[in-house]
Amino acid sequence: MLFGKTIVVTGAASGIGARTAELCAGLGADIIGIDVKEPRQPLAGFIQGDLSKPLGVAEIVARLPLRIDALCNIAGLSGAPGATPTVAVNFYGLRALSEAAAPRIREGGAIVNVASIAGYGWRANLNRAKSMVAIAGFPDVAAVLKQHEVAEAEGYPLSKELLLLWTQLAAQQPLFKSRGIRVVSVSPGPVETPILGQFRQVFGDARVDADIAATGRAATASDIAPVIAFLCSDGARWINGTNIAADGGLEAAVNAQILGY
Ligand SMILES: NC(=O)c1ccc[n+]([C@@H]2O[C@H](COP(=O)([O-])OP(=O)(O)OC[C@H]3O[C@@H](n4cnc5c(N)ncnc54)[C@H](O)[C@@H]3O)[C@@H](O)[C@H]2O)c1
């Protein structure tokens, strides 16, 4: 399905990114991993780098291959390290990497962003998200959060709200649209990876356990990786500017509760 494609995977050293790299390689792609940590599995290429800072993103971009078929933005922080690094990695660093990589992504290629059900509130908080997404480039994130009066505990959900909104906007942005580059997102619910323990600290056991109970179990990285692989493939060529819930039905359950049906 992905034979001969070059796919860049951020967060390739752990969890969903590691499984996506393994699966896409098995489907014939050459994987270029990006992570702060060394991946355990061998990859066609690996760029060690830090997406939390403009310089880190610039250093990564300088080492990217000249031709990329898909960019999977999977690296992320849970909120536990603080709102500033979380919003920096999960949104502004991700967007800076995507915009800088765009000229290297082939016509008809794809950007697949891993968002989350935690970003469900993007519509309810739309004005804040619009204002923060409108800030171009990779800003001083601490100053942006202060200006928007973002509480520490909001860092993670906010980062995913921004990502869900930007995914829809980016699909219409000439940088991507003029060359037929699709921009899509995948939103998991709880997934059994190292970050899940941190979510328990940030959101509390009750919230995480309630989400798991709503679908019967937590996902594994193997439940999410095939969705990302499909979205990278030409079979997904008419899926653009939208979010795919890969959550075992959690969003449907939340919708029923919030919208009252
Ligand atoms: N696990 C879940 O329950 C869950 C649920 C919904 C969404 N997600 C999202 O899925 C994505 C992957 O998470 P995961 O579950 O695989 O977690 P994980 O902690 O196993 O993997 C995250 C990876 O991102 C890398 N990373 C973190 N900061 C970085 C930085 N500054 N620069 C480069 N790499 C960095 C880490 O080193 C790690 O390898 C994240 O965006 C997360 O928000 C996870």
Side-chain angles (χ1 to χ4, degrees), residues 86-113:
T86 301
V87 174
V89 173
N90 295 10
F91 180 62
Y92 287 111
L94 178 160
R95 186 182 66 175
L97 175 68
S98 303
E99 291 183 346
R104 301 180 188 220
I105 301 177
R106 72 156 167 91
E107 291 211 5
I111 295 178
V112 181
N113 300 317

Side-chain angles (χ1 to χ4, degrees), residues 58-257:
E59 286 172 355
I60 291 167
V61 171
R63 295 177 58 199
L64 284 176
L66 293 177
R67 184 186 176 282
I68 298 166
D69 293 281
L71 166 63
C72 301
N73 286 313
I74 306 179
L77 292 177
S78 63
T84 299
T86 301
V87 174
V89 173
N90 295 10
F91 180 62
Y92 287 111
L94 178 160
R95 186 182 66 175
L97 175 68
S98 303
E99 291 183 346
R104 301 180 188 220
I105 301 177
R106 72 156 167 91
E107 291 211 5
I111 295 178
V112 181
N113 300 317
V114 175
S116 171
I117 185 74
Y120 183 89
W122 72 268
R123 288 181 200 79
N125 300 320
L126 185 58
N127 284 337
R128 179 178 70 176
K130 278 163 69 175
S131 169
M132 292 180 74
V133 169
I135 299 167
F138 198 147
D140 175 340
V141 178
V144 171
L145 296 183
K146 198 169 170 207
Q147 184 197 342
H148 289 81
E149 298 176 349
V150 174
E152 268 301 304
E154 288 181 285
Y156 184 78
L158 168 69
S159 71
K160 299 300 185 180
E161 290 171 18
L162 301 179
L163 184 54
L164 287 165
L165 176 62
W166 178 70
T167 297
Q168 296 170 66
L169 289 168
Q172 304 168 55
Q173 198 178 324
L175 177 65
F176 305 108
K177 187 178 182 181
S178 67
R179 295 182 44 254
I181 298 169
R182 295 179 294 109
V183 189
V184 293
S185 62
V186 175
S187 285
V191 186
E192 290 289 357
T193 69
I195 218 176
L196 191 58
Q198 293 180 22
F199 286 143
R200 289 187 174 280
Q201 286 171 28
V202 175
F203 299 116
D205 283 334
R207 161 79 193 276
V208 174
D209 288 336
D211 282 355
I212 292 173
T215 54
R217 67 170 172 88
T220 67
S222 292
D223 293 316
I224 313 302
V227 183
I228 300 170
F230 166 66
L231 289 171
C232 289
S233 79
D234 294 335
R237 68 188 175 196
W238 209 234
I239 301 178
N240 192 15
T242 194
N243 177 62
I244 307 290
D247 62 7
L250 181 56
E251 186 177 341
V254 174
N255 275 340
Q257 201 181 12

Side-chain angles (χ1 to χ4, degrees), residues 45-56:
F46 174 64
I47 302 171
Q48 194 153 24
D50 182 359
L51 291 164
S52 71
K53 298 192 170 60
L55 183 61

